[in-house]
Amino acid sequence: MRAMVYRGPYRVRVQEKDRPTIEHPNDAIVRVTRAAICGSDLHLYHGMMPDTRVGMTFGHEFIGVVDEVGSSVRNLKPGDRVMVPFNVYCGSCYFCARGLFSNCHNVNPNATAVGGIYGYSHTCGGYDGGQAEFVRVPFADVGPSPIPEWMDDDDAVLLTDALATGYFGAQLGDIVEGDVVVVFGAGPVGLFAAKSAWLMGAGRVIVVDHLDYRLEKAASFAHAETCNFAEYDDIVVHLKKITDHLGADVVIDAVGAEADGNFLQHVTATKLKLQGGSPVALNWAIDSVRKGGTISVMGAYGPMFSAVKFGDALNKGLTLRMNQCPVKRQWPRLFEHIRNGYLKPSDIVTHRIPLEHVAEAYHIFSAKLDGCIKPIIVPNAA
Amino acid sequence: MPYTPDKPKLAESTDELRARIPGWGADLDPRDRPSVPKERFDPGLNGAHWEFPQRQPEKWPREMSIEHEFLTPVFGTSCPPRGLSGVIRRYSYRTYSEARAAHWLLLLAADRVDAVESTLRSMLTRHPDNPVTETGVLSEFTHHGLSSRLRGKRVDRVHHPLDPVVVAAPWVLAGGVAYLAARRVVRRRRG
Ligand SMILES: NC(=O)c1ccc[n+]([C@@H]2O[C@H](COP(=O)([O-])OP(=O)(O)OC[C@H]3O[C@@H](n4cnc5c(N)ncnc54)[C@H](O)[C@@H]3O)[C@@H](O)[C@H]2O)c1
Ligand SMILES: [Zn+2]
Ligand SMILES: [Zn+2]
């Protein structure tokens, strides 16, 4: 089969690879019809995530058609159109039994601190991902769901990560009616978090980024006020000024490990790999939220330490909430919101690119060229 | 104003928000949201028809965190460790827990070694690494590279020049290794 393969920092290619096989009785093999590139993939692509091996196929945001099932699979059969959450999880461990699907303990031998994620380095379990013609899907009775008849393929693929994560991010903010919500990052996760904040009753939503074309999307798609941090000497002071010097009630970090805005932080984290991630946005969040407020961290950071302003978080009495998104827990409600027309996730898709051109897709998304917000990879046979 | 008790008034009323934003307030009740409460015990909920999953066969000694009691029943089989990078990875897993910086720094070092090894190895195949096609850099010409970078006030412009340095590193290193090896061979022949 044809598959995207990692070759080293900033380098990927498409090559022939063995078709995945059933390795466990509850496995399924899925023929991929759409796979998105996520901001998280950029952390791998830039060589930031420890134990990212040359030869791995990335891709944790995908949908497809069941091609083959293992002997113990009951809920799926070949031919079913399925959407697959980015979490690999068993459904039965201590954590899964409590709904913490992203923290499963039975799927990742390489680390106990993180669960399983498709195509996301060996630190997240060493699973090949969905930017390929076929992918192995473990625990087929647990994760994947049939795509509802009425649902659009592009909406379905975004439900497997970006939309679920943005919505989850807004929830972890514990937003109550009338809250002022600031979202750092106008990528797919930030846009969906901003949009979801309104559903939870936010009174004001302000999105911060430095890419004007994304901020324009935040205004049109997510009905948000916007703020380009490059235009201010000190974005924290500006945010204080526009929130009556109180600060926001809730801040969502939808930026993560490669945050810009401070050269030293950015370069030590992303180029020199001396910290787990560049906590520029997280530190801005800590300083711009009001005392007693809540920060929801959706941005991903590596497993090493990062230079976070912990003292301010303590002194301000903040609540910090975070996790990888337990995707499937969000689905029933999100299906409703899409049906009701409250959410139209595919509105943020800017590029549809054939699998054969995956290297260009990564470059465009990584360098933020051509107005790129969300690229979707379409395998040849799809 | 934080200096007095009341919360500042919002510019828009609830009715105005509801009229402007489709779905505003649909999830207003904080207790009625999908991830609330955070932990909800319900083992029957998730489609699992086992208490502990069957074990996937271990086809090679699978490296694992020493914080695990045993090998997890299911695991990925994407890229078995090999070469010098494999030796470093195995050592790191065997020796250090996730709590130790040495664990992650060794794994990151192994990743760098892997890139160099793999680039060298690819030279011996019919499909050698090609930095031009693999970086997708030609999309700069087809997808408005320059104008996208120059538009607005992007702050990332300052470090864009570092990207090619990161890309070139394995070639420079691989070239260096190849040069030293060749020099040795030549010297030995002469000597
Ligand atoms: N927790 C989860 O389950 C989960 C799931 C998906 C993605 N993520 C993470 O969420 C983050 C965002 O993902 P994405 O797909 O939207 O990525 P993206 O790269 O498209 O978006 C990130 C945005 O942040 C902006 N940015 C950079 N520095 C900033 C700063 N200091 N302040 C404000 N904005 C800044 C960038 O310009 C960019 O628009 C990533 O770290 C990703 O790994 C987490
Ligand atoms: Zn993701
Ligand atoms: Zn589990």
Side-chain angles (χ1 to χ4, degrees), chain A residues 165-175 193 196-197 200 250 252 296, chain B residues 33:
Chain A
T165 301
Y167 182 73
F168 178 65
Q171 282 176 84
L172 291 199
D174 286 328
I175 297 167
S196 305
M200 293 166 207
V250 175
I252 301 172
S296 158
Chain B
R33 293 176 188 164

Side-chain angles (χ1 to χ4, degrees), chain A residues 78-245:
Chain A
D80 287 351
R81 291 172 67 234
V82 285
M83 44 206 286
V84 182
F86 77 78
N87 327 100
V88 180
Y89 64 109
C90 77
S92 61
C93 69
Y94 180 95
F95 305 102
C96 287
R98 285 161 179 78
L100 301 176
F101 305 151
S102 48
N103 310 103
C104 178
H105 213 65
N106 273 334
V107 290
N108 181 4
N110 299 74
T112 55
V114 58
I117 304 180
Y118 292 95
Y120 210 71
S121 83
H122 276 65
T123 295
C124 296
Y127 297 91
D128 272 325
Q131 290 164 10
E133 288 181 309
F134 294 91
V135 58
R136 170 193 171 208
V137 172
F139 295 114
D141 282 335
V142 178
S145 271
I147 302 176
E149 279 298 316
W150 50 269
M151 194 181 286
D152 190 70
D153 273 357
D154 285 349
D155 288 336
V157 71
L158 294 177
L159 272 161
T160 66
D161 182 357
L163 176 63
T165 301
Y167 182 73
F168 178 65
Q171 282 176 84
L172 291 199
D174 286 328
I175 297 167
V176 298
E177 185 170 343
D179 271 353
V180 175
V181 179
V182 167
V183 179
F184 284 103
V189 172
L191 291 170
F192 289 139
K195 184 108 192 182
S196 305
W198 293 122
L199 300 180
M200 293 166 207
R204 230 182 130 184
V205 177
I206 305 163
V207 176
V208 182
D209 202 301
H210 65 111
L211 299 172
D212 288 325
Y213 76 90
R214 289 186 169 210
L215 289 171
E216 282 157 25
K217 195 74 179 181
S220 63
F221 171 81
H223 315 282
E225 294 168 52
T226 62
C227 194
N228 183 334
F229 70 77
E231 287 170 11
Y232 301 92
D233 217 23
D234 188 328
I235 185 68
V236 170
V237 175
H238 177 69
L239 288 170
K240 289 279 166 67
K241 280 188 188 154
I242 63 172
T243 55
D244 298 275
H245 283 91

Side-chain angles (χ1 to χ4, degrees), chain A residues 216-368:
Chain A
E216 282 157 25
K217 195 74 179 181
S220 63
F221 171 81
H223 315 282
E225 294 168 52
T226 62
C227 194
N228 183 334
F229 70 77
E231 287 170 11
Y232 301 92
D233 217 23
D234 188 328
I235 185 68
V236 170
V237 175
H238 177 69
L239 288 170
K240 289 279 166 67
K241 280 188 188 154
I242 63 172
T243 55
D244 298 275
H245 283 91
L246 188 63
D249 299 294
V250 175
V251 179
I252 301 172
D253 166 3
V255 179
E258 302 190 48
D260 258 302
N262 177 314
F263 187 76
L264 195 67
Q265 289 268 29
H266 182 85
V267 170
T268 51
T270 66
K271 302 298 189 287
L272 303 173
K273 283 84 180 172
L274 296 175
Q275 31 174 355
S278 155
V280 181
L282 182 54
N283 286 342
W284 285 348
I286 290 171
D287 284 324
S288 56
V289 74
R290 72 165 165 84
K291 282 180 260 193
T294 300
I295 294 179
S296 158
V297 186
M298 285 300 104
Y301 294 84
M304 281 228 302
F305 35 74
S306 306
V308 177
K309 295 189 66 188
F310 210 75
D312 278 358
L314 169 94
N315 290 332
K316 294 178 74 170
L318 303 185
T319 302
L320 270 73
R321 302 198 60 196
M322 62 205 89
N323 203 351
Q324 297 284 347
C325 176
V327 171
K328 202 174 178 179
R329 246 178 110 162
Q330 321 304 320
W331 280 355
R333 186 69 58 92
L334 286 173
F335 287 9
E336 270 176 48
H337 289 333
I338 292 175
R339 262 214 130 146
N340 288 333
Y342 301 161
L343 296 171
K344 181 62 188 155
S346 55
D347 280 353
I348 70 156
V349 174
T350 50
H351 292 71
R352 288 180 185 75
I353 299 177
L355 177 61
E356 292 301 320
H357 294 196
V358 76
E360 281 79 20
Y362 268 87
H363 185 80
I364 293 165
F365 184 51
S366 161
K368 305 326 195 211

Side-chain angles (χ1 to χ4, degrees), chain B residues 93-153:
Chain B
Y93 279 105
R94 202 170 54 231
T95 316
Y96 299 108
S97 78
E98 297 158 59
R100 307 280 289 274
H103 177 66
W104 304 112
L105 289 168
L106 280 170
L107 289 178
L108 280 169
D111 291 350
R112 306 290 88 91
V113 171
D114 192 1
V116 175
E117 279 182 327
S118 303
T119 302
L120 279 173
R121 207 177 288 128
S122 80
M123 301 300 168
L124 308 173
T125 67
R126 278 184 310 164
H127 202 16
D129 278 314
N130 177 339
V132 175
T133 54
E134 290 176 357
T135 52
V137 68
L138 294 179
S139 59
E140 290 282 335
F141 305 108
T142 53
H143 290 77
H144 314 105
L146 197 62
S147 62
S148 303
R149 288 174 201 267
L150 293 181
R151 191 174 309 138
K153 281 202 174 161

Side-chain angles (χ1 to χ4, degrees), chain B residues 152-171:
Chain B
K153 281 202 174 161
R154 300 179 57 156
V155 302
D156 52 352
R157 279 200 289 264
V158 285
H159 56 74
H160 284 173
L162 291 175
D163 296 352
V165 178
V166 176
V167 175
W171 269 271

